[in-house]
Structures are given as structure tokens and as C-alpha cells.
Amino acid sequence: MSLVCAISNEVPEHPCVSPVSNQVFERRLIEKYIAENGTDPMNGQPLSEEQLVDIKVSHPIRPKAPSATSIPAILKSLQDEWDAVMLHSFTLRQQLQTTRQELSHALYQHDAACRVIARLTKEVTAAREALATLKPQAGLVAPQAVPASQPTAAGAGGEPMEINEQVGMTPEIIQKVRGKTVPEELVRAEDLSKYRQVASHAGLHSASVPGILALDLCPSDTNKVLTGGADKNVVVFDKNEEQIVATLKGHTKKVTSVIYHPSQSVVFSASPDTTIRVWSVTAGSCVQVVRAHEAGVTGLSLHATGDYLLSSSEDQYWAFSDIQTGRVLTKVTDESAGCALTCAQFHPDGLIFGTGTADSQIKIWDLKERTNVANFPGHSGPVTSIAFSENGYYLATGAQDSSLKLWDLRKLKNFKTITLDNNYEVKSLVFDQSGTYLAVGGSDIRVYICKQWSEVLNFTDHSGLVTGVAFGENAQFLTSAGMDRSLKFYSL
């Protein structure tokens, strides 16, 4: 039951009771009445403010105005409250989505930073060890080991000898930091422009079903060349010896993708026969068959650890498989897209990768979360090839629209489009190990210098489509393979 002021007949905000009349009043009103009359308004007897007794009550709820007590008014009030709740809920959902994106981005940056720090720490430790090894050989003594009475090593003229840490950088360490700095041995653009064909080999694959469809070089020994042919065979070729090291047979259809393992005598191949095969070059036999897809395999890429394979397929799925056991660890599709994947490539850090689709989309995926984190539209035909630069900043893409697009992964946008000749077919894209040059294979062979993106080389020696291009170590040579069944080498 609500308390009601005897003067205003409304629920009081600060109720108090008069001991003279035992009536409840709003303190503000009764104080004003006492100031003017000095009596109780109900019975006229004398009354002072000190006699009033406050009543302790919970916060009073005022009754609704008479205009809000009808059914239509109540319904309108409920509708207004519902609308306000929905708007507030929508705002909260937007804020939650934004926060999730910011968190995901921050976690990716943190992961990448941790990897870079760990790698740099390892490289610094290795460089210091190499330097410490070289000091005794050069007759130098580490500063902390020099006794107070022993003179410091000096060069000619008595000046202290300067120690250049680069003296202690072994070839192995230089190889580890490739892509971050341009190696001194890298062929300069003016020399690269003078390259000419120096060798051509047409006997690697069968002449009855002509065509080399895939090409790769061994990262640790670029004289070892790996090819996949329309004759269903995988061939390992030695450039120096100019002879076939191994012919690997087992696929039931043409071989469209090949990869040479960077540190083991192992190669990988993929085919429209739906299988991925792991081969031992030494034994010349298949050691593992990975059955990750239900349709033809269109792309293959090796993870930075060398232990896992990424594959894409016409069945619209990409798969992540263990090369040791042949087990498929995860298999994902973009259900909203519903189209075949045409190629796949790991980013150098191994945390993300890209796939190309038959409907001209380039999709970037987060490997840990197995989610599509970015899309690059812009091509107008099926994507035929994608390649990440070694420093991880750039992505090059080619499609059946006679164009080559370059994307900045830091800004997630297309910053350069190179329009090629009409009906030019891009079949292969590859950056050299330093990220200085980009080679394009298709209707012919073209080499661009990065950052300037100007063409420095063009070869038209193949009589058919060029299906694969690759750089030798420090771009000392360029190799290509094509549908004319030939493997060609270019150098000074």
C-alpha cells in the first residue's frame, strides 16, 4: 500500500508524519505550510518542523499517468521499449564483432612478432658462436679474456683492429636470413637482362604424351630439378650432370604439382587422380600416399617446418596433411563460395596461406583458426597461380584474364596491376629467394624487378605454353618447363 501526501494526494518522494494529526505529508510541502501558518493543515493545531518525523521507505514508484493506462497506450509503450532493447542489442553485437576482429588481428601480430624475435635470437646466437670460432683463427682474443698486462691486438700503425661481425657469418647463417637482406652474390638486374638460353633437354618425359606440367628446384641444391609430366611420371634431373637421377612412376593421371623437400631426399607430387604421393629419391619409390581429396588435386605447398603439406582440390576443399604418416589433419571448405579451388600456397611464416578459386577469388586463410580472414577480388577469370614474396609483404596472383596483380598484405589491397598481352595465359609465378625478382611463366617467360615492377627479361624459346619457372640460387640461372616437353636453362 502506497503512502499518499495529505496535501497533494500524490506519492511523496520524502514522506514524513505529523505527530499532531498523524497524517503523512510531502516534507517539502508541509515545511512551506508551517513556514507560512505555523499550524497543522489538517486540524489547525500548532506544529513546528522539528516535530515532523521522517518515514523510511524504499524508492517510491510513481503510478503511470492516466493517458498511459489505456490498452493502446500500454501496447505503444511496450513497443517503444522493445525497439529500444533491439537497438541496444544490435549495437552490442556490432561492438562485439569489432572487438573480436581487433583481438584476432592483435593475436596474429603477437604470434608473428614472437616468431621473428625467436628467429632473430637464434640467428644472433649462431652469429656470435661463429664469430667466437673465427677469432682464435685470426689471432684475436675476446675482450673479456684479455689480462690487464696484455696488449690489445692492433693492426698496422698501432690502431686497434676493428672486428666486423660479417666475417663470422657462415653460409648457413646467410641462408637462414635470406629474404630479409639482398645477398651480395645476387645477380644484378643489368646482368640478368643479358641471360640467354644455355641448355635445353627434351628427353625427360614421354614423347607419346608430351608436356611438362610442373617444375620445382631443390632449395638446398638448386642443381636438382624436379618435374611432373602429362605422362604420369615424376622426374628428378641433375643440371650439372645433365642426366636423370630418378623416374618415379605411380600416378594414374598426369602430374600437375611437384615440390622438392628442402632438407631431405624426398619429393611430393599431386595429380587429378585425387592422390598426393611422397617419394624417396634415393630409393626411387613411393613411400606414402595421401588421400585427402575426392576430386583432382590442383595445388600443393609445403609448410615452413617441412613436416606438413597443404593441398587444394576441385572438390572445393583445402587439406592439411602430415607427410610422415600420410594422415589428413584437417580439411576445410568455404561453404558460402561453393566453387573449386585452383591453387594453394603457404605464406613464408606458415601461419597463413592463400588459395585461388575458379570464380576469380583469392582467399587468405588462418591455419590455426581454419578460417577465411581476407579476400582479394579483382580478377575476372579462374586464378591459375599465386606466390608470396620471401619477406612476406607481397602476394602475386595470375588468372585467365591476361593480367598479373600484386597485393600488399600489410594494407590488404591491390597496389599494382600488370596488364599482359591479349590472350596471355599465366601458368606459373615465382619470386626468387631474396624477393628481388618475380618470374612469370605462360605464353612466354617474363622477369620483373620488384618494387619498380619493370620487365627486365623476356624469353620466347618454348614452342608451347610455359607451365613452370624457377630461379637458381641467388638467381644465378633461370629454368623453365613447358608443354613442348622441354626443360630449358638460362644464364649468362
Side-chain angles (χ1 to χ4, degrees):
M1 181 176 178
S2 300
L3 299 175
V4 178
C5 175
I7 297 176
S8 64
N9 286 323
E10 292 183 357
V11 177
E13 289 185 9
H14 302 287
C16 61
V17 64
S18 168
V20 177
S21 63
N22 295 326
Q23 293 291 329
V24 175
F25 299 97
E26 169 66 63
R27 175 170 277 280
R28 174 176 51 82
L29 297 178
I30 189 63
E31 286 178 350
K32 186 179 290 187
Y33 187 89
I34 292 172
E36 293 177 359
N37 303 296
T39 60
D40 188 301
M42 304 309 295
N43 55 20
Q45 293 184 17
L47 180 64
S48 65
E49 291 183 15
E50 291 75 15
Q51 292 178 276
L52 297 174
V53 179
D54 286 328
I55 302 174
K56 302 291 184 182
V57 294
S58 59
H59 186 69
I61 300 175
R62 292 183 174 275
K64 290 183 180 293
S67 61
T69 56
S70 65
I71 291 177
I74 292 172
L75 290 176
K76 184 178 184 307
S77 175
L78 291 174
Q79 182 65 50
D80 290 343
E81 291 179 6
W82 172 259
D83 290 346
V85 169
M86 289 299 101
L87 288 172
H88 184 61
S89 175
F90 176 72
T91 303
L92 288 177
R93 284 201 303 271
Q94 281 186 319
Q95 292 174 348
L96 176 62
Q97 182 65 21
T98 302
T99 305
R100 280 178 172 170
Q101 289 177 345
E102 291 174 352
L103 178 60
S104 175
H105 185 63
L107 288 174
Y108 172 74
Q109 286 184 324
H110 178 266
D111 253 3
C114 287
R115 284 174 174 268
V116 170
I117 291 169
R119 185 173 60 191
L120 290 177
T121 303
K122 184 177 178 181
E123 291 167 3
V124 168
T125 303
R128 284 176 176 169
E129 289 175 355
L131 180 61
T133 304
L134 285 175
K135 280 178 180 177
Q137 296 174 1
L140 299 176
V141 183
Q144 64 268 25
V146 178
S149 60
Q150 184 175 342
T152 305
E159 293 295 327
M161 184 178 291
E162 292 185 2
I163 300 171
N164 188 344
E165 284 198 7
Q166 291 183 355
V167 175
M169 292 288 281
T170 64
E172 290 77 12
I173 298 170
I174 293 172
Q175 179 67 14
K176 287 181 181 178
V177 296
R178 65 185 174 87
K180 297 302 177 185
T181 56
V182 177
E184 293 181 3
E185 298 84 0
L186 182 71
V187 173
R188 294 176 300 175
E190 53 266 31
D191 294 330
L192 188 70
S193 63
K194 300 174 184 176
Y195 275 18
R196 296 293 178 266
Q197 180 181 317
V198 294
S200 180
H201 305 276
L204 277 68
H205 291 269
S206 170
S208 59
V209 188
I212 299 176
L213 304 177
L215 170 70
D216 193 27
L217 299 183
C218 177
S220 57
D221 181 6
T222 53
N223 290 312
K224 298 289 179 60
V225 183
L226 178 66
T227 61
D231 60 356
K232 310 173 190 175
N233 293 342
V234 178
V235 173
V236 181
F237 180 80
D238 190 305
K239 170 178 173 289
N240 287 345
E241 300 294 330
E242 296 190 346
Q243 64 181 13
I244 294 174
V245 176
T247 299
L248 309 170
K249 300 182 179 182
H251 282 291
T252 58
K253 292 185 179 180
K254 59 186 179 181
V255 179
T256 53
S257 301
V258 292
I259 296 177
Y260 214 122
H261 196 284
S263 59
Q264 301 176 24
S265 185
V266 172
V267 298
F268 312 93
S269 61
S271 166
D273 66 7
T274 75
T275 66
I276 301 163
R277 289 180 178 265
V278 184
W279 308 84
S280 168
V281 177
T282 308
S285 61
C286 178
V287 295
Q288 198 71 252
V289 179
V290 182
R291 303 184 186 278
H293 299 283
E294 297 176 1
V297 183
T298 56
L300 206 57
S301 183
L302 186 65
H303 191 262
T305 60
D307 297 325
Y308 307 101
L309 273 178
L310 169 70
S311 56
S312 60
S313 170
E314 294 173 349
D315 64 5
Q316 304 177 14
Y317 282 84
W318 61 261
F320 187 65
S321 309
D322 188 322
I323 66 172
Q324 301 297 331
T325 63
R327 293 177 56 191
V328 179
L329 303 179
T330 188
K331 189 175 175 182
V332 177
T333 186
D334 185 354
E335 296 179 354
S336 62
C339 70
L341 301 183
T342 54
C343 52
Q345 184 70 41
F346 266 119
H347 186 274
D349 69 5
L351 293 174
I352 61 173
F353 61 89
T355 59
T357 67
D359 64 350
S360 73
Q361 294 285 321
I362 295 99
K363 297 180 178 291
I364 305 298
W365 299 80
D366 184 306
L367 180 60
K368 286 184 178 179
E369 300 297 327
R370 300 186 292 280
T371 54
N372 178 205
V373 294
N375 292 312
F376 293 147
H379 284 292
S380 58
V383 179
T384 54
S385 182
I386 62 176
F388 290 98
S389 66
E390 190 66 22
N391 61 15
Y393 296 156
Y394 304 126
L395 170 65
T397 61
Q400 291 181 12
D401 56 3
S402 302
S403 72
L404 170 64
K405 290 186 178 291
L406 295 149
W407 311 81
D408 191 322
L409 296 176
R410 295 164 293 182
K411 300 177 182 178
L412 298 179
K413 69 175 185 179
N414 171 225
F415 68 90
K416 180 75 175 178
T417 298
I418 299 174
T419 303
L420 305 170
D421 306 334
N422 288 335
N423 301 319
Y424 190 102
E425 295 186 49
V426 179
K427 291 295 183 182
S428 176
L429 294 172
V430 64
F431 286 91
D432 76 300
Q433 290 182 344
S434 69
T436 305
Y437 303 114
L438 171 65
V440 183
S443 301
D444 57 20
I445 301 168
R446 303 183 183 194
V447 177
Y448 296 88
I449 185 167
C450 298
K451 295 185 180 178
Q452 301 167 8
W453 306 112
S454 57
E455 184 179 308
V456 294
L457 201 59
N458 189 309
F459 289 121
T460 56
D461 299 274
H462 283 279
S463 59
L465 276 176
V466 179
T467 54
V469 286
F471 285 100
E473 186 176 6
N474 296 318
Q476 297 289 338
F477 68 88
L478 181 71
T479 183
S480 64
M483 293 303 294
D484 59 359
R485 202 168 59 93
S486 68
L487 175 68
K488 297 181 184 293
F489 295 93
Y490 310 87
S491 185
L492 287 172

